[in-house]
Amino acid sequence: MSLTPQWLDELRTRVSLSALIGRSVRVQKAGREFKACCPFHNEKTPSFTINDEKGFYHCFGCGAHGDAIRWMTDHQGLPFLDAVKELAASAGMEVPAPDPRAAKRAEEQKSLHDVMAAAQAFFVKSLAEDQGAQARAYLASRGFPANVVKEFGFGYAPDSRTALKEALSQFPEGMLIEAGLRIVVEGRDPYDRFRGRLMLPICDPRGRVIAFGGRILDKTKTDAPKYLNSPDTPLFDKGRTVYNLHRASPASRQSGRVVVVEGYMDVVALAAAGIGEAVAPLGTALTEDQIERLWRMTECPTLCFDGDAAGQRAAARAIVRALPLLRPGHSLRIAVLPAGLDPDDLIKQRGAPAMEEVLAAARPMVEVLWDIERQAGPFATPEDKAGLKARLMAHVETIGDGDIKGLYRRDLLDRFGALAYPQRERPPFQPAQRSPGSGRKGPWKPAPPPLSAAVTARMQAVGEGRPLLAAVLTGLIDQPQQIARHAETLARLEVADPGLAALLDALIDMVHSGAQSPGQPLESSNVLTILARRGLRAPLADDYAGMRFGFLDGKAPDAAEELAEAVDLLVGLPAVEAALAEATRRHEAEFSDETFAEQQRLLQRRLALLARLGQMGRTRAGM
C-alpha cells in the first residue's frame, strides 16, 4: 500500500493525541496543553506534556518525543503498519488499497534484509576464527571491551574475492550485487567488495543491517581507502542515514543530548567511555536530511570536531548546511577537540571526564560562525573589514526564518562593530598639582552644576531612549530612502520595548529583503502597507512626548541630515550615560584627578548632547 505524507498528515490531524495517550496514562489539563507523569521513565513530578494543536508529546525529563504514530510504535509496541491501521480505524479513515509496485518493492527490500543479516553473521563468525586474528588484535589495541565489540557487531571480511559469495550461496549473485556486497566490473568476473577488512554493520532506526563499513588492516595496501562503506542501495542512502541512531535514541532520552562525531570508530570509542548518545554521518559532511533526523531526537545536537584545519572546515560546512534550516528553538552547538586529538585519543590520554569537558564547552553556531569568518583572512585594511562584513551578511541571508535572520544580523553586526570601530584611546590626563598637606588624592573640586530646568525636564524624558527612538522610526517611515543609510547603526541598538523593537526589525528587513522594486525608491505608503501586514503601526505623537523634530517634516530641506543627527543622538546618549555611570563609580572609589577629569568630561558631553536634543525639539515645538 502507498501511504503518502499527505494521507499520514490527515491521519495525525484527525487523532486527538491527549485522548489517545489518556487511554494508557492519566493526563491532566494544563492551560492549552495536557501533562502527565512520563510513561517512558520513572518520575513523581509530571514533565510529560501533550499538545493537541501541534500534534506531539514531549518529555522534559528523558526527551521522549513523537506524534500519534510514534506513540503507538514506541509505547504500545506495534509495528508501523499496524499502528497506522489501528489509528485509521479509530479516526474513521480507510487505509489506501495495496499498491502492487510498492508491495513488490517491499518484498525485494525484505529479501535484501535477509541478505544483509546473513552477511553480518558471516563476518562475525569470521572474526572469531583463525583468519580474524589480525582484526581481533586491532580491536584489542583500541582497548574496546568485549561487550562493546559484541554490541556493535564487529566482524571480519576475509581477504578473498569469493569468500562472501561462497558463504551466502543460498542467495542469487544478483542479490549480493544489489545489496552492495559484490562488485561488477565490465570484462571481469564479479568479486567481493570487502576483503581483508575489519567490518562494522550500519543499521536503520529499527536496528536492521542495511550497509557495512570496513577498515583496512594491512598497512602496506596504500592503494586502497582506509575506510570503505557500502554504496547506495535500495536499503541504504548514506546522505540520509545516521550511524548508531537506533542505539543513540534511547540513550539521548536519558541524557537529553545527541553528540555527533566525525566517524563511526569515534562513536564506538565514546560508547566504550559511557557516552552512548553518539552518532556519526557516513563519509560525507552532515546533510540537511541528517540534521532534520537529529532534531527529532533533540532540539540542539552537539557537533564535535577535531581541532585541526580539517575539523574547522567540517564545522564550517555543517554551519552552512544548517543555517537555511534553522527554526525557533532548533540549532546546533559546536564542540572542538584539542589539536591533534580525536575522541579516542582524548579519552585514552585524559579520561572520559576530559571528553565531557569538551562537550560542556560547546558553543552556539553564531559564535563559531563569527570566529571562522574572522580568522578566514587579514583584518588590516578597510577592504579587509568590508570583506568580513560581506561574508557574514551573505551567511545571514541564507537563513529562512525571519526572526532568526534578524537576530543573527544584529548579533554579527554588533561583533563586527566592536572589532571594526574600537573606541579611540584618549591622550593621557595630566593631573593638577596637589595641595601641600592635603589628605585627598587631589585638590577639592566643586560638584558639576546641575542641568538647567529647560533641558532636564522635557529633554531628559526624550533622551531616555524610547521617545527619541519612536520619533526616529517615524522619520524613517516618512523618509524610507534613509533606512538603508542608518540600518547598520540601528541594528546594533538594544531596544527594550517589544513594539518598537519589532518595528525597527521590520524596517531593517525591508532593506535586506529588497522590499522595493529594482530601480524604484521605497515609498512611505508602501512601508505602511508592509507594516500593516505584519500587524505593526507607525508611532503616534504621544509616543515621542509630543516633540516636533524638524526631521518629522520630510519635505524640509535639512530633514535627512537632522534625522541622521537624531540617529547619532539615539546611539550616543546611552553610550555616554553608561560611560558616565562607570566613571562616577571609579571616581567614588579612587577620587583622583584623573577620575574627576573623566567624570567632568562625560558630564559635559552628556550636557551637550541633551542641549542639542533640546534645540532640535524647540525649533518645532515653540519652546
Side-chain angles (χ1 to χ4, degrees):
M1 61 186 63
S2 178
L3 301 178
T4 64
Q6 294 79 9
W7 189 89
L8 291 173
D9 286 341
E10 177 66 19
L11 175 62
R12 296 183 183 99
T13 301
R14 292 196 188 186
V15 173
S16 170
L17 187 57
S18 61
L20 176 67
I21 296 176
R23 299 175 190 172
S24 308
V25 179
R26 182 184 176 187
V27 301
Q28 296 176 315
K29 184 72 173 175
R32 300 174 65 178
E33 297 182 335
F34 292 84
K35 65 180 181 179
C37 287
C38 179
F40 294 101
H41 78 289
N42 295 324
E43 63 175 3
K44 296 181 180 180
T45 303
S47 61
F48 184 84
T49 62
I50 308 163
N51 190 313
D52 280 332
E53 293 180 7
K54 298 181 180 179
F56 67 77
Y57 61 82
H58 181 80
C59 177
F60 291 93
C62 69
H65 183 94
D67 57 13
I69 300 174
R70 185 71 176 267
W71 170 262
M72 298 298 286
T73 58
D74 285 10
H75 186 265
Q76 302 297 318
L78 294 178
F80 174 82
L81 192 54
D82 291 344
V84 169
K85 288 180 178 179
E86 185 169 328
L87 291 173
S90 65
M93 294 178 63
E94 291 187 7
V95 178
D99 181 345
R101 291 174 298 179
K104 182 180 179 181
R105 286 196 300 270
E107 186 62 30
E108 291 175 350
Q109 287 189 352
K110 180 180 179 182
S111 299
L112 289 180
H113 280 302
D114 294 337
V115 172
M116 300 303 283
Q120 168 64 6
F122 168 70
F123 292 142
V124 171
K125 178 175 176 292
S126 299
L127 178 65
E129 297 173 347
D130 291 343
Q131 59 186 337
Q134 187 178 10
R136 295 195 302 272
Y138 173 79
L139 290 171
S141 70
R142 295 293 297 260
F144 296 152
N147 65 311
V148 171
V149 172
K150 181 178 180 180
E151 179 185 359
F152 279 85
F154 279 102
Y156 174 69
D159 193 4
S160 166
R161 298 171 65 90
T162 60
L164 182 64
K165 176 188 175 182
E166 294 167 0
L168 274 61
S169 59
Q170 70 271 32
F171 297 102
E173 184 169 60
M175 292 186 67
L176 301 182
I177 295 171
E178 188 176 16
L181 298 173
R182 297 270 288 171
I183 296 178
V184 177
V185 178
E186 186 175 354
R188 298 172 59 184
D189 292 334
Y191 56 93
D192 291 353
R193 178 179 299 274
F194 300 102
R195 305 179 307 281
R197 290 179 178 269
L198 177 71
M199 299 299 292
L200 197 62
I202 298 168
C203 300
D204 65 10
R206 294 173 60 180
R208 298 174 299 183
V209 178
I210 57 175
F212 290 97
R215 188 194 191 282
I216 199 166
L217 295 171
D218 188 350
K219 296 181 180 180
T220 64
K221 292 186 176 181
T222 57
D223 58 341
K226 182 178 180 180
Y227 288 96
L228 180 65
N229 289 335
S230 293
D232 285 351
T233 70
L235 297 181
F236 177 56
D237 182 341
K238 65 181 177 182
R240 295 177 178 271
T241 303
V242 178
Y243 176 70
N244 200 45
L245 193 67
H246 64 297
R247 297 187 192 90
S249 290
S252 70
R253 293 174 187 166
Q254 298 297 323
S255 66
R257 70 181 181 188
V258 174
V259 179
V260 186
V261 289
E262 296 190 54
Y264 36 67
M265 283 299 187
D266 295 330
V267 171
V268 179
L270 290 181
I275 302 174
E277 62 274 18
V279 298
L282 293 161
T284 61
L286 202 63
T287 66
E288 291 85 350
D289 289 318
Q290 289 168 334
I291 292 172
E292 291 289 354
R293 285 178 180 265
L294 294 172
W295 277 343
R296 295 174 196 169
M297 299 169 65
T298 182
E299 293 182 341
C300 196
T302 298
L303 275 55
C304 185
F305 296 102
D306 294 346
D308 55 13
Q312 188 176 48
R313 289 193 297 270
R317 288 195 297 269
I319 291 173
V320 169
R321 288 281 177 85
L323 284 173
L325 308 177
L326 294 179
R327 53 182 181 266
H330 291 74
S331 186
L332 302 173
R333 294 181 66 82
I334 311 296
V336 178
L337 292 158
L341 299 179
D342 61 20
D344 191 29
D345 296 330
L346 178 62
I347 291 170
K348 286 179 179 177
Q349 293 182 18
R350 307 179 191 176
M355 188 69 211
E356 290 288 358
E357 291 179 6
V358 168
L359 298 177
R363 297 188 297 156
M365 273 178 51
V366 66
E367 290 186 9
V368 180
L369 176 61
W370 164 257
D371 285 346
I372 289 174
E373 290 299 348
R374 171 63 187 90
Q375 298 165 13
F379 198 71
T381 68
E383 293 82 2
D384 295 337
K385 298 174 183 178
L388 171 60
K389 180 182 176 184
R391 295 195 303 274
L392 293 172
M393 293 303 101
H395 286 304
V396 169
E397 290 305 314
T398 66
I399 299 174
D401 185 274
D403 290 337
I404 297 177
K405 177 187 289 187
L407 292 168
Y408 259 70
R409 179 185 297 116
R410 178 169 294 185
D411 188 293
L412 292 172
L413 285 176
D414 283 346
R415 297 172 189 268
F416 176 80
L419 184 64
Y421 307 107
Q423 185 176 1
R424 298 182 183 276
E425 293 186 4
R426 300 184 305 276
F429 176 75
Q430 299 296 329
Q433 295 296 322
R434 298 178 182 176
S435 302
S438 173
R440 301 177 185 271
K441 293 183 179 180
W444 177 85
K445 300 289 194 308
L451 296 175
S452 64
V455 175
T456 56
R458 200 168 186 181
M459 296 306 100
Q460 183 71 36
V462 177
E464 287 175 353
R466 186 187 185 284
L468 181 57
L469 175 58
V472 167
L473 293 177
T474 302
L476 292 174
I477 293 172
D478 291 340
Q479 305 176 59
Q481 67 276 11
Q482 297 296 320
I483 298 176
R485 176 181 177 183
H486 303 294
E488 181 180 334
T489 300
L490 293 172
R492 297 199 296 267
L493 281 177
E494 293 292 337
V495 181
D497 186 286
L500 294 183
L503 186 59
L504 175 60
D505 287 341
L507 294 177
I508 295 174
D509 284 342
M510 290 181 196
V511 174
H512 293 284
S513 63
Q516 69 271 27
S517 301
Q520 297 182 0
L522 186 63
E523 299 293 339
S524 180
S525 58
N526 296 337
V527 173
L528 293 172
T529 300
I530 295 172
L531 294 178
R533 289 174 184 166
R534 299 191 180 192
L536 302 173
R537 65 164 178 83
L540 304 175
D542 290 343
D543 293 322
Y544 41 89
M547 298 297 295
R548 295 282 299 174
F549 292 98
F551 60 78
L552 296 179
D553 180 4
K555 297 180 180 179
D558 58 348
E561 294 310 313
E562 188 166 331
L563 176 60
E565 189 173 0
V567 171
D568 290 340
L569 286 171
L570 184 64
V571 176
L573 269 170
V576 170
E577 293 284 1
L580 177 58
E582 174 61 19
T584 301
R585 185 195 64 77
R586 285 188 58 207
H587 182 56
E588 290 175 351
E590 301 178 17
F591 207 81
S592 65
D593 287 339
E594 182 178 355
T595 59
F596 179 79
E598 175 67 2
Q599 183 192 48
Q600 293 300 298
R601 185 187 70 81
L602 290 170
L603 281 170
Q604 294 301 319
R605 177 60 178 159
R606 174 174 175 267
L607 177 61
L609 291 176
L610 287 174
R612 177 53 187 149
L613 181 60
Q615 184 181 17
M616 292 172 65
R618 285 196 298 271
T619 58
R620 299 293 172 179
M623 293 179 59

